[in-house]
Amino acid sequence: MYKAPNIKSDAGIIRELKDLPGRVAVLTMEIPWAVLQEQCPWEPDSVQMVTDMDLETLERLESSLPPCDVVVGMGGGSCCDTAKYIAWKRGCRMVLVPSIVSVDAPLTNMIAVRVDKTVKYVGDIFPEELLIDYDLIRRAPAALNRAGACDIASIHTALYDWRLGHENNGETYDAAVAALAADCLNELDANAEEVFNVSPKGIDTIIDLYRREVKFCTEVGSSRPEEGAEHIVAYNIEHLTRRHFLHGDLVGFGIHAMSMLQDNRAEWATGLIRRCGLRFDVPDAARNELRGALASLKEFKNRAGLFYSVVDCKEVTPDFIDAVMIGLE
Ligand SMILES: [Zn+2]
């Protein structure tokens, strides 16, 4: 069942943490923890540094962590997900304090864990209390914070594919939810400059759009409204290279390429990405790796049994790949 989060945002709001009642366990990383100590020294009952998201690590942590009334996850996606795991297992109160807005982990109910180096989703806990501290978040590199907007911008290509799946493949389509998703895309468009500047308004925009997206995706029971062929591109790059990338970088490239394949206001979509300051040339991948991911898109999609999209009805030709790559310049 979806639960709406209570979100408090302000500069310096992390100081409120020290007033939390009961036994508090903090799951964090060196940098956000140092920032908090700088602003207001605080000694909670337990402080644990998050190292990795292996399921084994989480299980060990959960069994060794002393009893607590509140668990605080302060940091990036791993810290939030680790806190979600502990609070889910123990059924205790949870407060999340993201130090970066590059992923939607602070808003979703699922927990991304690694089993044999593969991401698996476990758990079911909707974050109900969030503290958004502009000062803390603005310490993270701007490019990483902006990257969070990619999973909102992906609505552009995802909605096209969802409709296509409905028309060509008999999938359930909810026009009211699609309209809610389109509203989010428009809101991002209207606030692109704030996102670019990682201003308080830009940070609030990303968090609020994640909140809305998680809500309607939960209600419709799938991530169709925000996950289309651009995500297939992202998954294939990771599959082919066996490397891990900043999710937003891959999705940005996917939006650029798939809006072209869809013939779906591609210039506008790439323009939106540029105006938000998002990267879409995947700086951590070689050009031939990106070309390879496009060339093998259909084969990858079929083998992985992924959802219906533009990849099923349009051919990715060498000329198309050239045009996509030229568009990166
Ligand atoms: Zn995504």
Side-chain angles (χ1 to χ4, degrees):
M1 257 289 275
Y2 176 76
K3 281 187 192 147
N6 177 11
I7 303 172
K8 285 165 90 177
S9 12
D10 206 348
I13 202 155
I14 45 173
R15 295 193 195 99
E16 286 193 4
L17 286 172
K18 66 176 189 323
D19 300 326
L20 282 171
R23 295 160 298 178
V24 182
V26 178
L27 299 150
T28 187
M29 281 185 180
E30 301 290 346
I31 294 174
W33 184 243
V35 171
L36 177 68
Q37 291 301 326
E38 224 173 77
Q39 296 218 349
C40 82
W42 176 42
E43 262 183 65
D45 299 76
S46 121
V47 181
Q48 303 285 333
M49 295 298 152
V50 170
T51 51
D52 60 78
M53 289 307 292
D54 287 343
L55 188 56
E56 266 178 40
T57 311
L58 291 170
E59 285 168 347
R60 213 177 315 120
L61 178 67
E62 200 278 317
S63 58
S64 63
L65 200 68
C68 59
D69 304 298
V70 190
V71 53
V72 173
M74 182 166 72
S78 306
C79 295
C80 292
D81 269 354
T82 301
K84 279 156 69 181
Y85 183 84
I86 305 287
W88 171 58
K89 284 284 175 186
R90 296 189 173 187
C92 65
R93 181 180 172 192
M94 172 176 79
V95 178
L96 296 184
V97 191
S99 62
I100 185 166
V101 289
S102 58
V103 291
D104 62 1
L107 277 306
T108 61
N109 59 326
M110 304 293 274
I111 303 155
V113 302
R114 285 190 182 254
V115 181
D116 297 331
K117 295 190 175 169
T118 311
V119 177
K120 288 216 158 56
Y121 289 90
V122 299
D124 181 13
I125 175 169
F126 278 103
E128 292 181 73
E129 294 178 77
L130 262 79
L131 295 183
I132 305 297
D133 192 314
Y134 305 134
D135 291 343
L136 176 66
I137 290 172
R138 294 187 72 166
R139 295 221 184 186
L144 301 189
N145 278 323
R146 292 174 190 142
C150 265
D151 272 341
I152 310 293
S154 64
I155 288 171
H156 176 68
T157 34
L159 281 186
Y160 180 100
D161 283 335
W162 192 17
R163 241 206 122 77
L164 209 61
H166 173 62
E167 285 165 3
N168 295 358
N169 205 29
E171 274 182 56
T172 320
Y173 179 80
D174 188 323
V177 168
L180 291 177
D183 287 346
C184 289
L185 188 63
N186 291 334
E187 190 96 8
L188 179 66
D189 182 40
N191 289 285
E193 196 181 337
E194 304 284 351
V195 169
F196 184 96
N197 292 329
V198 197
S199 66
K201 179 85 192 295
I203 293 168
D204 284 344
T205 298
I206 293 177
I207 292 286
D208 189 55
L209 293 177
Y210 273 159
R211 179 191 65 78
R212 287 156 62 174
E213 195 170 79
V214 167
K215 183 168 191 279
F216 61 66
C217 282
T218 304
E219 283 164 0
V220 84
S222 89
S223 46
R224 259 318 211 170
E226 63 100 4
E227 198 169 304
E230 77 297 323
H231 272 80
I232 301 181
V233 173
Y235 301 142
N236 195 25
I237 296 170
E238 288 199 315
H239 169 75
L240 285 178
T241 61
R242 307 269 165 197
R243 298 201 303 278
H244 184 70
F245 295 82
L246 180 65
H247 184 64
D249 282 350
L250 301 181
V251 174
F253 174 70
I255 296 168
H256 164 67
M258 292 302 100
S259 62
M260 287 174 70
L261 192 63
Q262 293 171 340
D263 203 4
N264 175 21
R265 293 198 292 152
E267 263 178 49
W268 176 84
T270 303
L272 174 66
I273 292 174
R274 282 186 203 276
R275 284 188 294 120
C276 291
L278 296 165
R279 303 191 293 206
F280 60 102
D281 62 345
V282 201
D284 301 328
R287 293 295 161 108
N288 65 338
E289 289 175 327
L290 299 180
R291 285 177 173 273
L294 292 175
S296 61
L297 207 51
K298 190 161 192 172
E299 185 199 329
F300 167 74
K301 179 260 154 188
N302 285 337
R303 214 170 343 103
L306 294 172
F307 48 83
Y308 192 91
S309 74
V310 66
V311 178
D312 291 275
C313 42
K314 286 245 183 100
E315 210 189 323
V316 175
T317 63
D319 282 353
F320 169 77
I321 296 175
D322 284 343
V324 168
M325 301 310 288
I326 288 166
L328 297 184
E329 306 305 333

